Amino acid sequence: MGAAGSKLEKALGDQFPEGERYFGLENFGNTCYCNSVLQALYFCVPFREQLLEYYSSNKNGVDAEDNLLTCLADLFTQISSQKKKTGVIAPKRFVQRLKKQNELFRSYMHQDAHEFLNFLLNELVDILEKEAQAAKNDAETSSPSEKTANGPKNPQANGVKKEPLVTWVHKNFQGILTNETRCLRCETVTARDETFFDLSLDIEQNSSITSCLKNFSSTETLNAEDKFFCDKCCSLQEAQKRMKIKKPPHILVIHLKRFKYIEQLGRYKKLSYRVVFPLELKLSNTVEDADLEYSLFAVVVHVGSGPNHGHYVSLVKSHNHWLFFDDENVEMIDESAVQTFFGSAQEFSSNTDHGYILFYESLGAGNKS
């Protein structure tokens, strides 16, 4: 890797970004699903900065038990504080912790990168919420003046639900979807909100992210067996339903549903469809109908023809350069190479490298990459 590292340094030359580090990650037997996602998260600059900040201000708890958050923070700190600009790091502690924590990732079988990303973000949130609750309880027990003599510690005034904690993970990745259902008899609209860390989109051959997002928010009619119970009419009625983005996230993660269960085959099949993902994305299916601009900064790519085997690599944009991360190897690629990962226009193609998870950063708050 020394040679590959110096090759990358030579390729970037004077343009090597000040203070940036480009390190490959060692593979511990089919851990490419983990490595590819970790690289995408490392180059999600706001997330990285907040994780490093969290770690430096919480390091004093030396005897604190290892968890996925401390292992991830330790790995990112290790990378960012390397003296060399390029090289390879073994994310051993993180992978061991991951396997200890979740039996799903224990085997040497091919794992799903999207499942891993989902598990990791939810796990980080759980850890941060538990820490915040523990700190709150400590504060309450240490200040006797606040003790509630005649009631519970966390009174819920008039049954008002306490606001859920918003962590820095939420601030980066969480968006809100609203599910609107309109009764076709009385025209009453019922809206239900739900939060998301990523959007999973159905895909079609020769389509684009924009068309997949349109389909995601298209109006569906509920009739026959699928009628909707309207509270106002007090009966089952025909209705129209659609999903819209009520609060777009700062980091928009899009998962393309490339693995589809085929009833006749009794198994999953990989869809190699060509789905164009632009470098700049206008998000238009929002409640406000305002076009929001996003910029692509990472792509997790699935390499292989089937769902149960294959490999994962990632493409990352850092300081206006595109880089290709394949476990230990890191190389510079041209921006135009990104389009070779859209997918195949024909069903049987020799190209099996397809964009699977896309990471976009909102341009609203100024893009740092």
Side-chain angles (χ1 to χ4, degrees), residues 151-167:
K153 250 187 187 166
N154 299 329
Q156 293 191 352
N158 305 328
V160 176
K161 262 173 50 184
K162 65 182 174 72
E163 279 296 297
L165 177 77
V166 177
T167 68

mmCIF file of all heavy atoms in Angstrom, residues 151-167:
data_model
loop_
_atom_site.group_PDB
_atom_site.id
_atom_site.type_symbol
_atom_site.label_atom_id
_atom_site.label_comp_id
_atom_site.label_asym_id
_atom_site.label_seq_id
_atom_site.Cartn_x
_atom_site.Cartn_y
_atom_site.Cartn_z
ATOM 1 N N GLY A 151 -44.137 13.723 43.784
ATOM 2 C CA GLY A 151 -44.479 13.305 42.426
ATOM 3 C C GLY A 151 -43.329 12.622 41.737
ATOM 4 O O GLY A 151 -42.245 12.488 42.290
ATOM 5 N N PRO A 152 -43.562 12.180 40.512
ATOM 6 C CA PRO A 152 -42.511 11.482 39.774
ATOM 7 C C PRO A 152 -41.401 12.450 39.395
ATOM 8 O O PRO A 152 -41.590 13.664 39.389
ATOM 9 C CB PRO A 152 -43.240 10.974 38.521
ATOM 10 C CG PRO A 152 -44.413 11.880 38.370
ATOM 11 C CD PRO A 152 -44.796 12.320 39.749
ATOM 12 N N LYS A 153 -40.254 11.864 39.063
ATOM 13 C CA LYS A 153 -39.100 12.702 38.709
ATOM 14 C C LYS A 153 -39.331 13.476 37.417
ATOM 15 O O LYS A 153 -38.908 14.589 37.273
ATOM 16 C CB LYS A 153 -37.886 11.802 38.511
ATOM 17 C CG LYS A 153 -36.876 11.979 39.621
ATOM 18 C CD LYS A 153 -35.633 11.210 39.301
ATOM 19 C CE LYS A 153 -34.691 11.234 40.485
ATOM 20 N NZ LYS A 153 -33.637 10.260 40.355
ATOM 21 N N ASN A 154 -39.950 12.812 36.468
ATOM 22 C CA ASN A 154 -40.168 13.477 35.174
ATOM 23 C C ASN A 154 -41.656 13.716 34.981
ATOM 24 O O ASN A 154 -42.322 12.982 34.248
ATOM 25 C CB ASN A 154 -39.657 12.617 34.010
ATOM 26 C CG ASN A 154 -38.173 12.373 34.128
ATOM 27 O OD1 ASN A 154 -37.450 13.212 34.646
ATOM 28 N ND2 ASN A 154 -37.715 11.221 33.649
ATOM 29 N N PRO A 155 -42.208 14.725 35.627
ATOM 30 C CA PRO A 155 -43.653 14.924 35.503
ATOM 31 C C PRO A 155 -44.014 15.296 34.074
ATOM 32 O O PRO A 155 -43.315 16.074 33.442
ATOM 33 C CB PRO A 155 -43.926 16.090 36.456
ATOM 34 C CG PRO A 155 -42.628 16.796 36.604
ATOM 35 C CD PRO A 155 -41.542 15.807 36.374
ATOM 36 N N GLN A 156 -45.090 14.727 33.575
ATOM 37 C CA GLN A 156 -45.555 15.092 32.239
ATOM 38 C C GLN A 156 -46.805 15.942 32.422
ATOM 39 O O GLN A 156 -47.890 15.424 32.635
ATOM 40 C CB GLN A 156 -45.850 13.831 31.423
ATOM 41 C CG GLN A 156 -44.576 13.056 31.131
ATOM 42 C CD GLN A 156 -44.807 11.961 30.102
ATOM 43 O OE1 GLN A 156 -45.937 11.687 29.724
ATOM 44 N NE2 GLN A 156 -43.756 11.338 29.647
ATOM 45 N N ALA A 157 -46.592 17.233 32.370
ATOM 46 C CA ALA A 157 -47.683 18.174 32.641
ATOM 47 C C ALA A 157 -48.856 17.923 31.705
ATOM 48 O O ALA A 157 -48.700 17.928 30.490
ATOM 49 C CB ALA A 157 -47.169 19.589 32.476
ATOM 50 N N ASN A 158 -50.003 17.712 32.288
ATOM 51 C CA ASN A 158 -51.242 17.493 31.533
ATOM 52 C C ASN A 158 -51.101 16.437 30.429
ATOM 53 O O ASN A 158 -51.649 16.572 29.353
ATOM 54 C CB ASN A 158 -51.726 18.810 30.891
ATOM 55 C CG ASN A 158 -51.872 19.892 31.928
ATOM 56 O OD1 ASN A 158 -52.200 19.592 33.077
ATOM 57 N ND2 ASN A 158 -51.614 21.127 31.558
ATOM 58 N N GLY A 159 -50.302 15.446 30.719
ATOM 59 C CA GLY A 159 -50.148 14.352 29.748
ATOM 60 C C GLY A 159 -49.363 14.741 28.507
ATOM 61 O O GLY A 159 -49.408 14.044 27.510
ATOM 62 N N VAL A 160 -48.639 15.861 28.543
ATOM 63 C CA VAL A 160 -47.858 16.272 27.370
ATOM 64 C C VAL A 160 -46.633 15.368 27.275
ATOM 65 O O VAL A 160 -45.922 15.181 28.249
ATOM 66 C CB VAL A 160 -47.397 17.755 27.492
ATOM 67 C CG1 VAL A 160 -46.514 18.129 26.310
ATOM 68 C CG2 VAL A 160 -48.606 18.667 27.573
ATOM 69 N N LYS A 161 -46.428 14.811 26.090
ATOM 70 C CA LYS A 161 -45.286 13.916 25.925
ATOM 71 C C LYS A 161 -44.000 14.726 25.956
ATOM 72 O O LYS A 161 -43.921 15.789 25.351
ATOM 73 C CB LYS A 161 -45.389 13.205 24.578
ATOM 74 C CG LYS A 161 -45.981 11.822 24.716
ATOM 75 C CD LYS A 161 -46.250 11.140 23.412
ATOM 76 C CE LYS A 161 -45.106 11.133 22.426
ATOM 77 N NZ LYS A 161 -45.501 10.531 21.152
ATOM 78 N N LYS A 162 -42.979 14.196 26.651
ATOM 79 C CA LYS A 162 -41.722 14.964 26.665
ATOM 80 C C LYS A 162 -41.079 14.857 25.283
ATOM 81 O O LYS A 162 -41.145 13.829 24.616
ATOM 82 C CB LYS A 162 -40.782 14.494 27.765
ATOM 83 C CG LYS A 162 -40.249 13.081 27.649
ATOM 84 C CD LYS A 162 -39.374 12.796 28.851
ATOM 85 C CE LYS A 162 -38.902 11.355 28.907
ATOM 86 N NZ LYS A 162 -37.934 10.962 27.958
ATOM 87 N N GLU A 163 -40.471 15.941 24.871
ATOM 88 C CA GLU A 163 -39.866 16.008 23.544
ATOM 89 C C GLU A 163 -38.737 14.983 23.430
ATOM 90 O O GLU A 163 -37.903 14.882 24.319
ATOM 91 C CB GLU A 163 -39.283 17.417 23.317
ATOM 92 C CG GLU A 163 -40.307 18.448 22.900
ATOM 93 C CD GLU A 163 -40.937 18.131 21.561
ATOM 94 O OE1 GLU A 163 -40.218 18.099 20.552
ATOM 95 O OE2 GLU A 163 -42.160 17.888 21.526
ATOM 96 N N PRO A 164 -38.674 14.226 22.318
ATOM 97 C CA PRO A 164 -37.560 13.292 22.174
ATOM 98 C C PRO A 164 -36.250 14.071 22.006
ATOM 99 O O PRO A 164 -36.232 15.176 21.460
ATOM 100 C CB PRO A 164 -37.898 12.506 20.908
ATOM 101 C CG PRO A 164 -38.900 13.337 20.185
ATOM 102 C CD PRO A 164 -39.608 14.174 21.205
ATOM 103 N N LEU A 165 -35.186 13.482 22.484
ATOM 104 C CA LEU A 165 -33.881 14.136 22.411
ATOM 105 C C LEU A 165 -33.411 14.201 20.957
ATOM 106 O O LEU A 165 -33.511 13.221 20.226
ATOM 107 C CB LEU A 165 -32.881 13.325 23.248
ATOM 108 C CG LEU A 165 -31.440 13.831 23.237
ATOM 109 C CD1 LEU A 165 -31.293 15.053 24.132
ATOM 110 C CD2 LEU A 165 -30.488 12.735 23.693
ATOM 111 N N VAL A 166 -32.915 15.343 20.540
ATOM 112 C CA VAL A 166 -32.376 15.474 19.181
ATOM 113 C C VAL A 166 -30.852 15.478 19.291
ATOM 114 O O VAL A 166 -30.250 16.419 19.790
ATOM 115 C CB VAL A 166 -32.883 16.760 18.488
ATOM 116 C CG1 VAL A 166 -32.262 16.901 17.107
ATOM 117 C CG2 VAL A 166 -34.402 16.730 18.379
ATOM 118 N N THR A 167 -30.235 14.388 18.865
ATOM 119 C CA THR A 167 -28.779 14.270 18.953
ATOM 120 C C THR A 167 -28.140 14.826 17.684
ATOM 121 O O THR A 167 -28.833 15.132 16.709
ATOM 122 C CB THR A 167 -28.372 12.788 19.080
ATOM 123 O OG1 THR A 167 -28.688 12.138 17.832
ATOM 124 C CG2 THR A 167 -29.109 12.091 20.209
#
